Structure formats: structure tokens, C-alpha cells
Amino acid sequence: LHSEFAQYSALAETATLLKVWLRQRALNTASDSFNGFSISMLLLYLVQKRTISRSMSCYHMLRATYIFLSKKETLEAGLHLAPNAEFFLAAIATPAEALAEFVGGGQAVLLDDSLAVNLLARVSASALSEIQHEARAALLCLEQDANNGFTPLMLQKVSVACKYDELLVIRAAEDPDHAAQRPGGGSWEDSDEILGEAEPGVPQAVVVARRALRVVEEALGERLHFARVLSREAIETPLPTAADAAAAERAKRGASGASASLDSVLAKKAWGPGAEIIIGLLLNSDCAGRKVERGPPAEEADASRRFRKFWGSKSELRRFKDGAIQETLVWSEADTAAGPMAVPAAMSGFALQRHLGSVAGGG
């Protein structure tokens, strides 16, 4: 990596610009997203695969990287750097076999030259969706204004809270009997079957955060671009002024500046009355406010059974004008004063209360 950057200044400049972009778009504030090292190693991969040519200008390298990041399926399918002869000959696995050990669950995979280490192991599925969305927005900026497209990407800092359409605040139940009041009825074992059992040794607050994210993603489906677990500190931190930037620069000279990961922050907090988790939602405006949700058709027995387990008595079988008989959800919140855009919060709140017994509610 150092050798490549030392030989080609445009490559090093592109890496610097990408790091600035990560910081300005608040993409490097979470412990499960890209950082400077991972984005630099991705650049190295693109050079090796000749997606980026050493003869390219910095602008074209940057654009090629955004195009690559806008297609998360490529990273989910698994990639690897050119194998190092010394490591690779000693290994039993072929590149395909090595990738098979890592690929799955929407995880981003980029193996190093030993084929034994995933350089993107820290990047979660939700973070990958966020990066994809931001890369597409970056391409749109560059295509609409080639001269001034860099201004919103590199010079304007975006607040974490402003990136999302909805912020769900999930609080632990104050009433110990609240957990027994399950919306939609049914057994709590249904939730364990859908979400799986908690990982042993993982702090309860971290378990709740991960399960809450899975519940929201399944509840909203295509209504959602992506959802991210956020810290209140990140949301309430104001955009820095020039004086703040100068103070931060002075502080950086005497401190490492490393930030604690969200999981480590959650791990230090006991999950009980007063505890909270915040999830940011970026919604698909084309369908987020839809009043009627059409689920699987009646003839798909397994899918229908899972749908009913997830939604409980909220789901009912209906016949539509086109003759289809499907599991259906109707959200009356679309007819309230808040309008159709109240539906995503209603769906999320219902699903969270149904599947997380310790949740008091959302906001």
C-alpha cells in the first residue's frame, strides 16, 4: 500500500479525498463502517484489478471508486487482493474456497494477500447500505455539476441527525409487567425463532440494539433504504465552527483522537429503566407512506406463516380486486393528521414492541 501511494501521487490524493468525504458525511463515526485504512485498501484492490488506472487523474479515480461503492453486491459477493506467493502456496485453500469461509449475511468481504484476513470485517450490512447510498449521491453531485460538485461532498459537513427521515428512540420498559403485554398476541418463542437466540457473552444493550435493527429492517422492507444504530452523543453534537475546528486541531497534537466504538459505549450501559437506543431511518419516499402492505400470497405457506408470526393478529388474509389472496396489513395512521409519513414509525413501533419484550416504546 505504501509503495503504491509513494509512486503515484494521484492515488494518494484520491485516498485523502475519500477520507475527507467519509468524515464530512459522518460515515466514519461508527465502529462498524469504513475508516481510512479500509478505504485505502479498497483503492489498492481497484488498482490491482485495473478498475483504476495509474494514468487516471484524481477526479477520475474518485469517480471510479464511487461507481464501485454504489454496487454493494460486489463487496457482498467477496473480493480478494492478489495473493502473496509465500502465503498462498502455504495455504490449502484456493481463493474461491477462502472466500466461501467469509461470504454471507450481507457482510462486506475483501481478503488480504494471505487470503486469511477480511480487511472489511468491521463493516456491517447496514453500514454497507449507507455507503452505497452515499456513493450514489456523490456520483449524482459530480454528474450534475462537474465544476462545483466537490463543494457539497468535501467542504460541507453533514450533521448525523440531518441524514435521516426518522429517529426511533427505543427505551427500556419502566413497568416490569410491560414485557407481558405483547401486541398482536402469540408466544414470545415466535420472536426467538425469527430473530435467533442472543449471542453468549454479548452485553444485553448490544444484543437489544442488534435485534432492534433487524426488527426494523424486516418490518419496513422496501420502505427503507437503510437503518443505523446511533449514539445520542453523535446526534446532539452540533456542527463545528471555525473556532471548534482550530481547538480540535490543537487538541489533536496532544491526543490520539480515537473515538470509542458504539458497541463499547453500549456495553458499559446496563439495559434497564432509563436506558435507550436510537435508530435512524432513511426512508424510500416512493412507498414509505403506503397505507396497505400486501404480504405473501396464501399459496406460499412458509412465507405466509413467517409473516403472521412476525405481525401476529395485525395481519389478515384479504382478497384484492386483481383476484390475489394475500396476507395484508392496514395502517390507519395514514389517515391521521400526521399523514402517510406516520406509517413507518407506526410499523416500527408495533414490530419493536411485539418482538422486544423489554422495549417501552419509540419516539
Side-chain angles (χ1 to χ4, degrees):
L1 180 64
H2 177 75
S3 173
E4 288 285 349
F5 281 19
Q7 292 181 58
Y8 305 100
S9 59
L11 191 61
E13 291 169 4
T14 303
T16 300
L17 285 174
L18 285 168
K19 292 174 186 177
V20 171
W21 172 68
L22 290 175
R23 186 175 66 251
Q24 296 294 72
R25 304 299 298 181
L27 295 170
N28 64 343
T29 57
S31 62
D32 64 343
S33 189
F34 277 79
N35 58 12
F37 172 74
S38 55
I39 204 72
S40 297
M41 295 307 294
L42 183 63
L43 272 178
L44 179 60
Y45 168 81
L46 295 178
V47 169
Q48 290 184 353
K49 293 300 179 181
R50 299 186 181 179
T51 303
I52 285 178
S53 165
R54 295 181 177 91
S55 62
M56 284 181 174
S57 67
C58 181
Y59 171 85
H60 289 98
M61 286 185 180
L62 188 67
R63 189 173 181 279
T65 306
Y66 285 145
I67 291 173
F68 183 84
L69 287 172
S70 69
K71 303 170 184 177
K72 68 172 185 175
E73 296 78 9
T74 308
L75 283 170
E76 290 174 341
L79 309 169
H80 63 86
L81 297 178
N84 181 295
E86 179 182 353
F87 290 116
F88 182 59
L89 291 176
I92 299 175
T94 64
E97 290 171 339
L99 285 171
E101 295 291 326
F102 293 89
V103 172
Q107 171 73 53
V109 177
L110 174 61
L111 302 186
D112 70 346
D113 55 5
S114 71
L115 303 180
V117 177
N118 181 12
L119 299 171
L120 302 181
R122 62 177 272 142
V123 181
S124 67
S126 62
L128 193 57
S129 296
E130 181 182 26
I131 284 285
Q132 178 189 40
H133 177 83
E134 292 289 355
R136 288 176 176 175
L139 281 172
L140 196 60
C141 281
L142 295 178
E143 288 170 1
Q144 288 185 342
D145 192 342
N147 295 322
N148 300 315
F150 277 86
T151 300
L153 291 180
M154 306 297 173
L155 301 181
Q156 295 178 359
K157 190 170 181 64
V158 177
S159 165
V160 172
C162 292
K163 292 179 62 175
Y164 301 96
D165 298 310
E166 296 267 3
L167 292 177
L168 299 177
V169 182
I170 305 164
R171 298 186 179 92
E174 299 289 344
D175 180 4
D177 295 328
H178 180 82
Q181 303 166 4
R182 189 176 195 233
S187 168
W188 288 107
E189 280 91 15
D190 292 345
S191 297
D192 293 332
E193 182 180 336
I194 290 172
L195 301 175
E197 297 182 359
E199 302 173 47
V202 178
Q204 189 179 8
V206 177
V207 171
V208 172
R210 292 176 181 175
R211 289 168 72 94
L213 189 64
R214 289 184 60 190
V215 167
V216 169
E217 289 174 340
E218 181 157 349
L220 295 180
E222 66 177 359
R223 299 171 189 254
L224 182 71
H225 284 307
F226 65 86
R228 299 285 282 137
V229 176
L230 308 171
S231 68
R232 182 166 288 279
E233 291 78 7
I235 294 171
E236 295 180 344
T237 300
L239 291 177
T241 63
D244 294 333
E249 185 62 31
R250 289 194 298 271
K252 195 181 295 183
R253 298 191 188 106
S256 65
S259 59
S261 71
L262 182 56
D263 278 3
S264 68
V265 172
L266 290 172
K268 294 175 183 177
K269 298 180 180 179
W271 183 252
E276 67 176 17
I277 290 168
I278 303 173
I279 296 181
L281 309 179
L282 186 68
L283 301 171
N284 180 354
S285 59
D286 293 337
C287 60
R290 190 171 55 213
K291 180 179 178 179
V292 177
E293 179 73 15
R294 295 175 64 163
E299 57 267 24
E300 296 182 9
D302 291 341
S304 296
R305 190 180 303 111
R306 179 183 174 84
F307 191 84
R308 287 193 299 272
K309 280 188 175 182
F310 189 87
W311 291 108
S313 60
K314 184 71 176 176
S315 175
E316 56 184 26
L317 205 59
R318 286 196 174 192
R319 181 189 293 274
F320 292 88
K321 291 181 179 179
D322 59 4
I325 302 175
Q326 294 175 261
E327 295 289 341
T328 308
L329 305 171
V330 179
W331 299 97
S332 58
E333 287 80 3
D335 299 325
T336 63
M341 293 312 290
V343 171
M347 295 180 73
S348 301
F350 181 92
L352 287 166
Q353 290 179 4
R354 175 169 170 77
H355 292 288
L356 299 182
S358 55
V359 171

